[in-house]
Amino acid sequence: MARHPGRLVALVAGAGLLGLLGACDVPVSEPPASVPPEQPPAAVPTQGTGAQEEPLPEAPAQPVLTTAVAGTGAGNLVAPDTVCVFWTWGGDGLPQLTDGLWFTVDHPAVVPQTWTASHDACGDSGNGVQWCDGAKITVDDSTCVIGFVRAGTPSAQALVGMVGTLTCTAPLSAPDCASLTQTIDDSADVSPDLDLEAVAAGGG
């Protein structure tokens, strides 16, 4: 997959149950097209002239692909073998979301895979909370909801994580993003307090 020059793209793998996915190599991009000599230079802010200043371009986003990320939350048993989960970013090891840092959920994950994600499992109990698959988790909207239906023999535990993309942009710097990436890499990749088997057994 081609990636735009200037983006920091790294593959982060939690040290927990899903394991290391491996690092992404930075792809070789096509050489940039030459700039015609007559093209004017990029506008820069002027100082002290009283004229309207041209704003500097915003720093490009630096997405970081991740494996399953742990969070906090609770599951509600809504029918036999059916649980509705409210998942919230945060918990041990995860950095706090801020302006310029958000997480886009691609899909939920369960380890082991004894449950299958389902919108229908929650019915009307989502109460307007965004669905986890496709959710943009931000500092102002850090919770999503998803249902699970048991799809196999009960196991000792079934722990939930969210697979997706962490995005860093201004006002965070590249070193900020690198530090956050390492923090997530060192954190758990599923949520021990979101045990679907325990909820199904009446202990949620």
Side-chain angles (χ1 to χ4, degrees):
M1 178 185 297
R3 292 181 172 84
H4 297 293
R7 284 188 174 180
L8 170 65
V9 180
L11 189 64
V12 177
L17 297 171
L18 293 188
L20 185 66
L21 295 182
C24 289
D25 295 327
V26 177
V28 177
S29 304
E30 295 180 3
S34 59
V35 177
E38 65 275 11
Q39 181 173 333
V44 296
T46 58
Q47 296 294 332
T49 63
Q52 184 172 356
E53 299 179 356
E54 191 79 20
L56 288 173
E58 183 177 338
Q62 303 174 65
V64 179
L65 303 180
T66 74
T67 59
V69 175
T72 62
N76 301 317
L77 186 66
V78 296
D81 299 326
T82 304
V83 174
C84 186
V85 167
F86 289 82
W87 184 91
T88 300
W89 177 278
D92 292 342
L94 279 184
Q96 294 298 311
L97 298 175
T98 63
D99 290 339
L101 178 66
W102 67 89
F103 182 70
T104 305
V105 177
D106 180 70
H107 62 276
V110 180
V111 180
Q113 296 176 346
T114 54
W115 295 76
T116 300
S118 167
H119 281 193
D120 296 336
C122 285
D124 296 330
S125 60
N127 295 323
V129 177
Q130 61 181 330
W131 292 110
C132 287
D133 46 348
K136 184 175 180 179
I137 306 297
T138 68
V139 63
D140 297 318
D141 194 3
S142 60
T143 299
C144 64
V145 63
I146 192 70
F148 293 93
V149 177
R150 183 147 38 205
T153 303
S155 58
Q157 286 185 315
L159 306 180
V160 178
M162 295 296 161
V163 178
T165 303
L166 182 75
T167 301
C168 257
T169 188
L172 297 173
S173 66
D176 290 334
C177 293
S179 176
L180 291 165
T181 298
Q182 185 61 52
T183 300
I184 293 171
D185 185 39
D186 293 340
S187 69
D189 56 5
V190 289
S191 309
D193 64 330
L194 292 177
D195 183 353
L196 300 183
E197 295 292 353
V199 176

